[in-house]
Amino acid sequence: MAILVIADDLTGAAEIGGIILRHGLSVEIVHTLETSTNKDVRILNTNTRSLKEKEALSHLKELFSTNPILKWDWIYLKFDSALRGHIAAEISFYCRAFQKDNVVFCPVNPTLGRVIEDNGWYWVDGKPIAETDFAQDPEFPIEKSGVLEVLGGDYWHLVKDVQGLSTEKSPYIVAAVNDLEGLHKWASTATSFGIYAGAAAFFEALLLQRKKALPMTKDLEPWPQSPILYVCGSNHENSIKRIAKVDANKVVYWQSIGEENKVAMDVLGKIEKFGKVILTVARTVSHDAQTIRACMAEIVGIVQQTCPLQELVIEGGATARAVLEVLDIDTLLPVREYGPGVIRNHVPGVTLAVTLKPGSYPWTENLWVF
């Protein structure tokens, strides 16, 4: 079975890669579909979550200028489980591009406490999502808790039970799922829908339905060894608190445009002295997110040119993509899942290993040792 997963950011793509590894399939993460592949699953990172909506749609038109639907047995659209991104606009694009009339969107992840109740409210760890840290997201603040309100558009409809699909006339469906049992019920439906979309948990449930006898893989890849550069581009509250507990001598803060070379030299000096260093953004910085990402990536590029890294750990999907662009890395090969969404990747042709982690996901403790 040839599977294409389209993700709107890099850590989301890596999270799917970890699921694929866990179930014994081969996988790669790419940023174009121009080359052929011999992998069971190809994950395309469009990186559209870091773009403005018009830019994102223009980028997608270029990526899919030829019809790729004929190559794949199954296509899944991976979006953020916290509803960030241009979700409704992109799904509409894919329906047109792939000539599909129907979509089931299921963004939940019950394991992380992210569920949709029957009234359509999205909850995260027992709180309406608009009352969580996601309300302060710099690019996609979630200011409403009703999932239909977040998506926008009158053509979306909430369906509380998979049995309701038989009577639902709307082609754009949001699945109200509040536990794992409900998730697997939706994944097992025999109803033929054109596109399935949502978070990683829904993808895994669908995968289990399609390949029921998947062998589980063993973790043969090592934990990262010093020297390691941690690049923390997330402004999530948990990330900020964790960094605050680290010895200040092992943290390097970027504060203003023009100091990238100086910061890079500071990083290099601390890596030589301590072996593990965190590069992050000072809380006083008021620049826009794209500028911050670009400057952080430039710093990593200077470090890599001066003294090539062997281990790079990046938190935050948009930051990770900016770093990979500067390092001229187009393909990642997931090799180990340290924890949900925390994925180690090899870079073809070089010895660099890149571990990716979504900003809102918990750290794997063995990966964060300071």
Side-chain angles (χ1 to χ4, degrees):
M1 179 179 291
I3 302 172
L4 174 66
V5 178
I6 305 171
D8 68 346
D9 93 320
L10 186 54
T11 51
E15 183 179 9
I16 295 291
I19 292 170
I20 298 300
L21 286 179
R22 194 188 314 155
H23 293 293
L25 298 174
S26 60
V27 59
E28 67 179 2
I29 299 170
V30 298
H31 296 94
T32 72
L33 295 174
E34 294 176 359
T35 60
S36 59
T37 183
N38 60 358
K39 304 296 185 183
D40 298 314
V41 183
R42 171 170 273 193
I43 305 170
L44 173 68
N45 170 37
T46 65
N47 202 47
T48 49
R49 201 187 305 172
S50 66
L51 303 174
K52 302 297 184 182
E53 184 175 311
K54 287 185 178 179
E55 295 173 335
L57 295 177
S58 176
H59 178 58
L60 292 179
K61 288 178 183 177
E62 183 177 351
L63 279 176
F64 295 98
S65 56
T66 58
N67 186 358
I69 193 70
L70 299 176
K71 299 179 181 179
W72 309 99
D73 299 311
W74 175 35
I75 294 178
Y76 185 78
L77 307 181
K78 163 66 173 73
F79 291 104
D80 182 32
S81 62
L83 303 176
R84 294 168 297 179
H86 312 293
I87 297 172
E90 290 190 29
I91 287 178
S92 293
F93 167 85
Y94 290 120
C95 285
R96 293 192 302 271
F98 299 155
Q99 299 180 3
K100 298 295 182 179
D101 296 326
N102 307 90
V103 61
V104 169
F105 177 59
C106 184
V108 307
N109 191 332
T111 303
L112 291 178
R114 302 180 183 185
V115 298
I116 299 174
E117 296 296 345
D118 288 350
N119 63 1
W121 275 42
Y122 197 102
W123 291 73
V124 177
D125 285 333
K127 293 181 179 181
I129 192 170
E131 297 176 18
T132 69
D133 194 47
F134 294 114
Q136 280 74 51
D137 188 271
E139 294 177 278
F140 296 97
I142 306 300
E143 299 172 340
K144 300 177 181 179
S145 294
V147 64
L148 297 182
E149 293 180 282
V150 175
L151 289 173
D154 296 335
Y155 48 88
W156 284 98
H157 288 264
L158 187 77
V159 176
K160 302 175 184 179
D161 190 291
V162 68
Q163 302 302 323
L165 282 176
S166 59
T167 58
E168 180 57 59
K169 296 180 180 179
S170 172
Y172 286 76
I173 300 298
V174 177
V177 173
N178 56 27
D179 57 27
L180 286 172
E181 181 181 359
L183 186 69
H184 288 285
K185 282 183 179 179
W186 275 90
S188 64
T189 176
T191 303
S192 177
F193 268 78
I195 293 178
Y196 282 101
F202 191 38
F203 171 79
E204 184 168 19
L206 290 164
L207 181 65
L208 286 168
Q209 292 295 322
R210 284 158 172 74
K211 297 183 77 70
K212 295 181 183 295
L214 295 169
M216 305 302 281
T217 59
K218 295 181 179 179
D219 289 331
L220 301 177
E221 277 288 313
W223 291 94
Q225 301 296 313
S226 297
I228 308 172
L229 174 59
Y230 292 78
V231 182
C232 296
S234 172
N235 70 336
H236 196 274
E237 181 181 359
N238 291 340
S239 179
I240 294 170
K241 288 180 178 179
R242 183 174 283 266
I243 293 172
K245 296 177 182 178
V246 175
D247 179 352
N249 291 315
K250 299 178 182 179
V251 182
V252 178
Y253 291 94
W254 174 82
Q255 299 187 65
S256 61
I257 298 172
E259 64 173 19
E260 289 74 37
N261 193 71
K262 175 180 176 296
V263 172
M265 294 304 107
D266 195 10
V267 167
L268 285 166
K270 290 181 182 293
I271 285 180
E272 184 176 357
K273 183 175 182 179
F274 300 110
K276 296 180 180 180
V277 176
I278 299 168
L279 171 63
T280 189
V281 180
R283 297 204 66 178
T284 55
V285 169
S286 59
H287 296 293
D288 64 272
Q290 288 187 330
T291 297
I292 293 171
R293 288 194 292 266
C295 291
M296 293 280 280
E298 182 180 346
I299 293 166
V300 177
I302 296 169
V303 170
Q304 182 71 350
Q305 284 184 337
T306 307
C307 184
L309 299 163
Q310 302 299 310
E311 295 280 357
L312 188 57
V313 179
I314 311 176
E315 182 180 43
T319 299
R321 179 56 185 144
V323 169
L324 295 191
E325 285 182 350
V326 166
L327 299 184
D328 198 26
I329 296 172
D330 288 324
T331 302
L332 292 176
L333 303 177
V335 291
R336 181 174 178 183
E337 183 185 41
Y338 291 131
V342 185
I343 313 301
R344 179 179 175 85
N345 304 271
H346 284 173
V347 179
V350 298
T351 58
L352 176 64
V354 180
T355 299
L356 302 175
K357 176 197 165 295
S360 63
Y361 280 32
W363 278 91
T364 301
E365 292 304 323
N366 288 344
L367 189 61
W368 183 273
V369 182
F370 282 93

